[in-house]
Amino acid sequence: MSTKPKLYYFDGRGKMESIRWLLAAAGVEFEEEFLETRDQYEKLLQGGSLLFQQVPMVEMDGMKMVQTRAILSYIAAKYNLYGKDLKERALIDMYVGGTDDLMGFILMFPFLSAEDKEKQRALIAQKATSRYFPVYEKVLKDHGQDFLVGNNFSWADVHLLEAILMVEEKKSDVLSGFPQLQAFKARISSIPAIKKFLEPGSQRKPVPDDKYVETVRRVLRMYYDVKAN
């Protein structure tokens, strides 16, 4: 029996992508089972694997873990990406919470109408440049260190890089006014495990396309329209 973590989700980003990022950053190989049919999803539900009747779900260390934040916290703690003490952990939680909020504006983007996508694209850029990126820019400038917390590579760094790249897909020059974040992006991207994950052929998922949206809607029976924030 494989001892690698096994991820249950769609063949796309969604809420599982941050889990893929963090496992990759920790140098952990993992397997994936992609949900393509309603029957697969029903089987997980009936088997009691989905505690709150939703994915992502990760099988790891004898557990079937659900709730994205719980999964990420466990991985970060297990692989020493969660700070050296409670104060550092609190900072990491705060910074991750901020990037989570920013990513929330992007998560449902593929499910929007064409008209709403243009509105949401502008909102994402506005929120990133006025609320979120200035915070991380100031943190990096004030302490003058390579990483966000304790001058050690952590979950917060991984999450911020993921968010930066996601926003750049919506507005390519979004970091033009943030020199600290430009340097941060280059620095974190060059870490061997991250560099490998960013290369073609990795388990990183591409920008969600129509096929991904159709699969999610079919499996979860999403028959309603998603509105922009």
Side-chain angles (χ1 to χ4, degrees):
M1 183 176 178
S2 174
T3 58
K4 295 178 182 178
K6 188 170 184 180
L7 283 50
Y8 294 79
Y9 201 67
F10 308 98
D11 187 8
R13 290 183 182 176
K15 291 191 173 184
M16 185 65 87
E17 190 69 355
S18 292
I19 296 168
R20 297 185 185 108
W21 267 87
L22 197 57
L23 285 169
V28 178
E29 294 183 356
F30 56 89
E31 299 174 348
E32 300 190 77
E33 180 171 317
F34 298 127
L35 300 181
E36 298 175 343
T37 67
R38 179 70 186 185
D39 285 347
Q40 285 177 284
Y41 183 61
E42 292 283 358
K43 185 176 179 180
L44 289 174
L45 288 173
Q46 292 166 9
S49 296
L50 305 182
L51 191 62
F52 298 105
Q53 302 179 24
Q54 60 193 23
V55 288
M57 191 267 280
V58 174
E59 280 189 308
M60 184 175 181
D61 296 341
M63 297 184 290
K64 292 183 177 180
M65 293 188 288
V66 295
Q67 293 296 330
T68 308
R69 187 60 183 258
I71 297 167
L72 288 166
S73 296
Y74 180 84
I75 294 167
K78 180 179 174 71
Y79 295 106
N80 300 314
L81 294 169
Y82 212 174
K84 68 178 185 298
D85 55 34
L86 283 174
K87 288 184 178 180
E88 288 193 359
R89 183 167 293 193
L91 287 172
I92 290 168
D93 282 338
M94 287 196 301
Y95 297 154
V96 166
T99 46
D100 261 345
D101 290 347
L102 177 55
M103 287 179 182
F105 292 103
I106 304 172
L107 186 64
M108 298 308 293
F109 186 87
F111 299 88
L112 300 174
S113 67
E115 180 181 355
D116 280 345
K117 280 182 179 178
E118 289 310 305
K119 296 176 183 177
Q120 192 74 354
R121 191 185 304 274
L123 180 64
I124 290 165
Q126 187 267 324
K127 292 291 186 181
T129 56
S130 67
R131 177 179 294 184
Y132 297 103
F133 287 173
V135 172
Y136 304 112
E137 181 79 5
K138 185 176 187 302
V139 169
L140 291 166
K141 184 177 181 180
D142 286 352
H143 66 37
Q145 297 173 339
D146 289 343
F147 306 105
L148 285 171
V149 179
N151 206 25
N152 287 303
F153 182 50
S154 76
W155 174 20
D157 302 304
V158 179
H159 217 51
L160 178 55
L161 178 62
E162 182 189 1
I164 287 171
L165 296 180
M166 288 172 70
V167 177
E168 284 186 328
E169 289 168 350
K170 302 295 179 267
K171 182 174 173 56
S172 60
D173 64 348
V174 72
L175 289 187
S176 60
F178 301 96
Q180 295 292 333
L181 287 180
Q182 291 175 36
F184 173 87
K185 174 190 168 185
R187 192 162 56 244
I188 304 304
S189 296
S190 68
I191 292 172
I194 299 294
K195 184 177 180 181
K196 181 179 179 182
F197 189 62
L198 293 174
E199 290 174 350
S202 79
Q203 287 169 287
R204 184 188 180 210
K205 301 299 181 274
V207 176
D209 58 12
D210 290 343
K211 181 181 178 182
Y212 168 78
V213 171
E214 180 184 322
T215 301
V216 173
R217 286 187 178 278
R218 182 177 64 252
V219 172
L220 299 183
R221 294 179 177 168
M222 289 175 58
Y223 301 131
Y224 53 87
D225 292 329
V226 176
K227 298 296 184 182
N229 288 311

